[in-house]
Structures are given as structure tokens and as C-alpha cells.
Amino acid sequence: MRASGTFKVAGFTPAPVPGPTVETAVPVGVATMDKQYEGDVAGHSATLFTAAYDQATGTGTYVAMESFEGALHGQSGSFNFAHSATTSGGGREKEFFVIVPASGTAALAGITGTGGITVDADGTHRIWFDYELGR
């Protein structure tokens, strides 16, 4: 089953990079994010976000772990999902997106699957989950 929606970043808080740092040509940053979702995907998430990104060229890679609470097609609960992508000044490439097995609760218990994120030219962020509910 596919659930899709849009999301907005409601909060972005940079955090110190833990541990010793290693100098590279593209610095690593860490942040927490809060997101709000609308559509077949309705709810909110808390995100741990790590990126190595060059603001000047728009080149970099991010890795994120999200804890989502809300509903997919009206089925309420929570679950974790992870995603990553690379940019090279333009669109997204080398994407990875997975729902964490055994992380679902309530009506979303047993959820498995994948998904994706796109960003429209006007900045609208879209998300979808291709998922199954196992009990």
C-alpha cells in the first residue's frame, strides 16, 4: 500500500558534533529536526540529522533517522524510518529509505517497507511510504 503526503520542517536545531573531529573538505554537521506531515501521511516526527554538506556548491550527503507518530491512511501509531540522499548541486541521487523493522506501534505494529522523498521546484517536500502491515 502507498501513503503519500507533504511535510514542513517545524524546527531545526544544530547540535555539536560528538567526539573528536577530523578535518575534511566538506564539514560534518548534526542537528535535530521536527517535521509536520499532511495528507495520507498525517502527524509529526522527531529527526536525528547528520550531513556533510558544502553550502556554496549544494554538494553533500545526509543520513537521517526519524521517529514518526501519526497515521498512514487513518491507521494510527508510530514507527521509525531511516533515509539518506546525495546532492551534487541539483537533484537528489543515491537515495536510501527504509522503515525500521519491528518499530511500529498500535495500528502500525508490524509495519515494513520503503519510501522516498522529493522536493518540488517551489520547495514543497513530498514523502511516500510503500508499506505492509503485518500482525
Side-chain angles (χ1 to χ4, degrees):
M1 178 171 260
R2 177 171 279 204
S4 59
T6 60
F7 69 88
K8 293 183 179 179
V9 175
F12 183 91
T13 306
V17 176
T21 59
V22 174
E23 292 290 325
T24 64
V26 180
V28 172
V30 176
T32 58
M33 299 170 73
D34 297 310
K35 296 179 183 175
Q36 298 291 323
Y37 297 84
E38 296 180 347
D40 298 336
V41 179
H44 65 97
S45 71
T47 306
L48 297 174
F49 184 83
T50 303
Y53 187 73
D54 181 342
Q55 297 261 350
T57 63
T59 302
T61 299
Y62 80 87
V63 177
M65 177 64 71
E66 298 202 33
S67 298
F68 172 83
E69 181 178 50
L72 302 182
H73 290 293
Q75 299 291 314
S76 296
S78 62
F79 61 91
N80 297 320
F81 64 99
H83 53 100
S84 176
T86 295
T87 59
S88 53
R92 297 163 55 91
E93 54 191 56
K94 298 180 179 82
E95 294 185 72
F96 170 82
F97 195 113
V98 66
I99 296 171
V100 176
S103 67
T105 67
L108 299 176
I111 191 169
T112 59
T114 62
I117 295 172
T118 60
V119 182
D120 295 348
D122 68 0
T124 300
H125 286 68
R126 299 188 183 281
I127 190 166
W128 69 90
F129 294 97
D130 289 328
Y131 69 98
E132 293 182 17
L133 293 174
R135 304 276 179 208

